Amino acid sequence: MALLPYLNARCVEAGCDEAGRGCLAGAVYAAAVILPPDFRNAELNDSKQLSAKKRYELRTVIEREAVAWATGIVTPEEIDRINILQASFLAMHRAVAQLQTLPEHLLIDGNRFTPYPGIPHTAIVRGDGKYMSIAAASVLAKTYRDDCMDALDRLYPLYRWAKNKGYPTQAHRDAIRRYGITPLHRKSFSLVISD
């Protein structure tokens, strides 16, 4: 099914999505993207449905053709302090705040959102598979977070973050059991599950 170009053609919409909510380590990233009304790309889709190579190819297209785009980051320490749901909303707020063009409406991937001051929003379940601007935001959030985890893997190679991106794979959990946690692990999460 082709993605829809917008929810409301009469206003400037920014699509918002996050990456890294379910991870045991690293920041949560979000992106906000305003696409031109006539933007079309048959390959754009929810980032989880794309190969890593395709995501990076699309990132170049999105950054070149978007009216505006930005990312927002919330650290592991902040996640532990405010919880991952609120951290996801905060990351989106930070992305919106960085946009060079002020949107008139936000399209949010998910079923709820903390309202951004002065800008109405619509939360759309699985919106990254329905609207191009949300799909574009999902691609940017995912690729920028992956870049970060690849860099952090060089600091903490025992946890294999270049491969698992901080998600709770068996190898990641085994490394936590064996070596303990790093300052980048989310201490409020269940980092080790007993056998």
Side-chain angles (χ1 to χ4, degrees):
M1 184 181 80
L3 300 185
L4 299 169
Y6 42 73
L7 178 65
N8 186 344
R10 294 185 298 278
C11 71
V12 178
E13 288 182 338
C16 301
D17 200 3
E18 53 71 31
R21 256 176 83 166
C23 296
L24 302 182
V28 63
Y29 273 63
V33 179
I34 301 172
L35 294 172
D38 60 350
F39 180 86
R40 299 291 183 275
N41 188 301
E43 297 179 313
L44 183 59
N45 200 348
D46 165 15
S47 65
K48 296 183 289 296
Q49 305 301 317
L50 302 169
S51 68
K53 180 174 183 288
K54 183 55 65 180
R55 283 194 293 267
Y56 282 96
E57 289 173 0
L58 285 167
R59 181 168 99 176
T60 301
V61 173
I62 293 161
E63 291 179 352
R64 183 180 66 238
E65 299 191 23
V67 172
W69 65 270
T71 57
I73 303 166
V74 175
T75 67
E77 295 83 4
E78 291 175 303
I79 292 168
D80 287 338
R81 191 163 63 246
I82 64 175
N83 79 47
I84 187 58
L85 180 62
Q86 295 306 315
S88 299
F89 297 159
L90 178 58
M92 290 189 211
H93 279 225
R94 287 176 175 171
V96 171
Q98 296 296 316
L99 288 171
Q100 296 299 304
T101 298
L102 184 69
E104 299 169 302
H105 189 257
L106 303 177
L107 296 182
I108 307 297
D109 183 58
N111 62 355
R112 51 188 165 154
F113 184 61
T114 301
Y116 187 90
I119 306 177
H121 71 271
T122 302
I124 300 164
V125 175
R126 297 188 190 89
D128 48 4
K130 296 174 182 174
Y131 289 93
M132 284 193 289
S133 63
I134 302 178
S138 80
V139 167
L140 295 192
K142 172 67 174 160
T143 54
Y144 277 100
R145 188 178 189 283
D146 284 357
D147 288 349
C148 175
M149 296 309 293
D150 288 348
L152 293 173
D153 179 73
R154 294 192 282 277
L155 297 176
Y156 298 98
L158 298 172
Y159 300 87
R160 303 184 69 188
W161 289 339
K163 184 170 184 182
N164 63 51
K165 309 305 183 196
Y167 282 93
T169 62
Q170 189 62 51
H172 189 181
R173 289 195 187 278
D174 288 347
I176 293 171
R177 281 192 189 92
R178 185 167 181 184
Y179 305 111
I181 63 171
T182 72
L184 297 169
H185 278 97
R186 302 173 184 177
K187 299 174 186 64
S188 56
F189 280 45
S190 299
L191 297 175
V192 178
I193 294 178
S194 2
D195 297 323

